Each structure stands twice: as structure tokens, then as C-alpha cells.
Amino acid sequence: MAKLQPFIRTHNTALKNRLTAYAAAYPGECRQTDADPDTGCMEFEVRKGRFSFRLTAPYSEERRRAASKAAKKNSVNGMGRSVHKNLL
């Protein structure tokens, strides 16, 4: 891997698991460079352009109510189980 690649340092367990799996599947694109067992922090080097994240704005109250209404409309017996899950 070339020098000066972006580094990701995280304590987030889900992200650590995803990066570990990605590094195993694509060793030319990503590798673990450090781990601190005392703090649980892991660091990965990832080829530029392979990692991104998206920040989203919080839902407005109107959008939250609309989403809640749609979820209730599509649930069975008001228990939050979707019709599709019952068909499986």
C-alpha cells in the first residue's frame, strides 16, 4: 500500500468489525495498522476513495410524524411487525 493513505481510528465496535472484515476480504485496499487492547481502539489504513461517511440532518417533527404514521399503517396488530415478515 502506498504511503500517506487515510487512517481511520475508532472505538466503535460495529465499524471495527466492518473494517476488519473488509481488510480480510481486500488486503490491498485496507489493513489494520494498530490496536490498543486497553482502550479498545483500532486503527486502519484505507486506500483513498474507499471509505466515506454521510452526515444526515435530523428529521423534522413533520417528517417524524409522517414516518410514524406510515409505520403504524403498515404494521400488523399494532405490534410493529411488518406484513412482509409474516409472509416469510
Side-chain angles (χ1 to χ4, degrees), residues 11 16 35-42:
H11 289 88
K16 290 187 296 187
D36 185 347
D38 294 333
T39 64
C41 182
M42 292 175 80

Side-chain angles (χ1 to χ4, degrees), residues 66-76 80:
S68 176
K69 185 177 178 180
K72 288 175 185 174
K73 180 182 175 184
N74 293 314
S75 71
V76 175

Side-chain angles (χ1 to χ4, degrees), residues 58-70:
Y59 279 11
S60 66
E61 278 303 313
E62 180 182 340
R63 185 174 178 190
R64 189 182 313 273
R65 280 192 297 274
S68 176
K69 185 177 178 180

Side-chain angles (χ1 to χ4, degrees), residues 34-47:
D34 195 16
D36 185 347
D38 294 333
T39 64
C41 182
M42 292 175 80
E43 184 177 278
F44 295 84
E45 184 179 17
V46 181
R47 187 174 302 278

Side-chain angles (χ1 to χ4, degrees), residues 2-33:
K3 285 186 171 185
L4 301 176
Q5 296 298 318
F7 284 90
I8 300 166
R9 183 176 293 150
T10 185
H11 289 88
N12 181 294
T13 301
L15 182 56
K16 290 187 296 187
N17 291 339
R18 290 179 64 195
L19 286 167
T20 300
Y22 188 82
Y26 306 101
E29 303 295 316
C30 177
R31 67 185 176 107
Q32 183 180 339
T33 57

